[in-house]
Amino acid sequence: MLLKNIKNLYEDIFMSYNTPALKKHIEKIKELDAFLPHTSTFFCITNTQELGFEYISKNMFSCLAIEPEKFKQDAMHYFWSRIHPDDVEHWLKALNSLMDYTLNEIDEQERYKMSYTWNYRFKNGHGKYVNIVQNTTPLEFDAFMKPIIGLAHYTVLDPNIKLDVTATAKYLSDNGEYETRYFNCFNKKLLDNEITNRERDIVRLLVLNYSSKEIAERLNISSNTVDTHRRNILKKLNINSTGELIGMLKINQNLL
């Protein structure tokens, strides 16, 4: 897909009115980055109005072998040009679906507690495509409560892992637990639409080795309800045991 077409679709998704960036907040994040270790993740502060990056953490080069200055200079146009051509359409559909869901289904007061995840393949500085799972938390909204500035964490995964392009929206509950509010997969589905959002949350906590009792406490439901969901999940996926399910999903965590 041509960059011009991507730009037009992207601007349609994030169309908004101008508001000031969170300069003080961004400065604090920069200070924090100086003390963080080098890992397989990096983070950026994205600005969907200006189609650029307010800040890029030092780990970007060690993760992608691309100089952060290149991203700052050429901004999102350069970023888009490195997404795998076969993933661009799915990626844009994922962004659009998340925006539509947020504006139509999430109350304005709740949008500050939302977290969004999607994934795509990305060409690193060595010319090799790697998997990136991006998780973005909104920091600033426009006059219509559209998220426009976000703190985006990027996890770089082995290119040999086959990941379907998915989109997830989670809400941070009063219990401090993320609840899945929306999930969709834009090509082949592993956890298909037969799996409910509540079952998806239970699967995610099972992967983290929580017991049924612990899951019940975190999701504010009974242990019997958790066990019922566990049986239904295995039946829907035609899997014999929770162990088999966990093993399958540990290498496909973007589906959770």
Side-chain angles (χ1 to χ4, degrees), residues 1 79-91 120-123 129-130:
M1 184 180 292
F79 189 91
W80 299 332
S81 73
R82 303 190 74 89
I83 295 178
H84 196 293
D86 292 344
D87 289 350
V88 168
E89 182 179 356
H90 298 310
W91 163 70
Y120 42 84
R121 287 171 291 175
F122 190 89
K123 186 189 292 184
Y129 283 101
V130 296

Side-chain angles (χ1 to χ4, degrees), residues 98-106 111 144-147:
L98 289 172
M99 185 62 73
D100 283 345
Y101 176 77
T102 297
L103 296 181
N104 294 320
E105 303 294 337
I106 303 298
R111 292 178 192 173
F144 297 98
M145 289 303 292
K146 261 192 176 184

Side-chain angles (χ1 to χ4, degrees), residues 27 97 120 182 188:
E27 287 303 317
S97 70
Y120 42 84
Y182 174 87
K188 181 182 176 182

Side-chain angles (χ1 to χ4, degrees), residues 8-221:
N8 291 338
L9 289 169
Y10 192 88
E11 287 182 333
D12 284 344
I13 295 169
F14 290 102
M15 183 175 57
S16 55
Y17 288 89
N18 186 44
T19 56
L22 302 178
K23 293 183 178 179
K24 185 176 180 180
H25 192 97
I26 291 171
E27 287 303 317
K28 290 297 181 184
I29 291 176
K30 290 180 182 178
E31 293 174 11
L32 175 64
D33 185 37
F35 295 95
L36 293 175
H38 286 282
T39 65
S40 61
T41 67
F42 65 95
F43 67 86
C44 299
I45 297 177
T46 60
N47 188 323
T48 59
Q49 289 184 130
E50 299 179 2
L51 304 182
F53 299 94
E54 298 281 345
Y55 182 68
I56 298 172
S57 71
K58 66 176 184 286
N59 278 353
M60 170 178 275
F61 183 78
S62 59
C63 290
L64 295 177
I66 298 174
E67 293 289 350
E69 288 305 318
K70 183 65 176 175
F71 270 44
K72 291 178 183 177
Q73 177 182 334
D74 297 336
M76 289 190 179
H77 295 83
Y78 179 68
F79 189 91
W80 299 332
S81 73
R82 303 190 74 89
I83 295 178
H84 196 293
D86 292 344
D87 289 350
V88 168
E89 182 179 356
H90 298 310
W91 163 70
L92 285 169
K93 285 181 179 179
L95 293 184
N96 195 54
S97 70
L98 289 172
M99 185 62 73
D100 283 345
Y101 176 77
T102 297
L103 296 181
N104 294 320
E105 303 294 337
I106 303 298
D107 292 339
E108 292 184 1
Q109 310 91 288
E110 294 185 331
R111 292 178 192 173
Y112 290 97
K113 291 188 174 184
M114 296 301 295
S115 177
Y116 304 94
T117 304
W118 58 88
N119 64 288
Y120 42 84
R121 287 171 291 175
F122 190 89
K123 186 189 292 184
N124 64 18
H126 302 299
K128 187 175 184 179
Y129 283 101
V130 296
N131 287 300
I132 287 186
V133 178
Q134 178 176 341
N135 178 266
T136 297
T137 302
L139 298 178
E140 176 93 350
F141 296 80
D142 68 8
F144 297 98
M145 289 303 292
K146 261 192 176 184
I148 52 174
I149 294 181
L151 177 60
H153 286 86
Y154 304 81
T155 301
V156 181
L157 300 177
D158 190 288
N160 294 319
I161 299 174
K162 178 65 176 73
L163 297 178
D164 296 319
V165 177
T166 65
T168 306
K170 291 186 173 69
Y171 173 75
L172 186 62
S173 71
D174 293 338
N175 288 343
E177 180 60 51
Y178 275 109
E179 299 176 356
T180 300
R181 294 289 184 88
Y182 174 87
F183 175 86
N184 201 354
C185 182
F186 295 88
N187 38 30
K188 181 182 176 182
K189 298 188 178 184
L190 178 58
L191 294 186
D192 60 23
N193 289 333
E194 292 184 3
I195 300 297
T196 67
N197 287 336
R198 174 62 83 193
E199 290 169 345
R200 200 175 303 279
D201 289 331
I202 289 172
V203 169
R204 175 171 52 83
L205 294 173
L206 286 171
V207 170
L208 295 174
N209 298 319
Y210 286 107
S211 66
S212 289
K213 181 179 179 181
E214 291 170 327
I215 293 173
E217 291 173 353
R218 296 181 75 88
L219 298 181
N220 198 28
I221 57 179

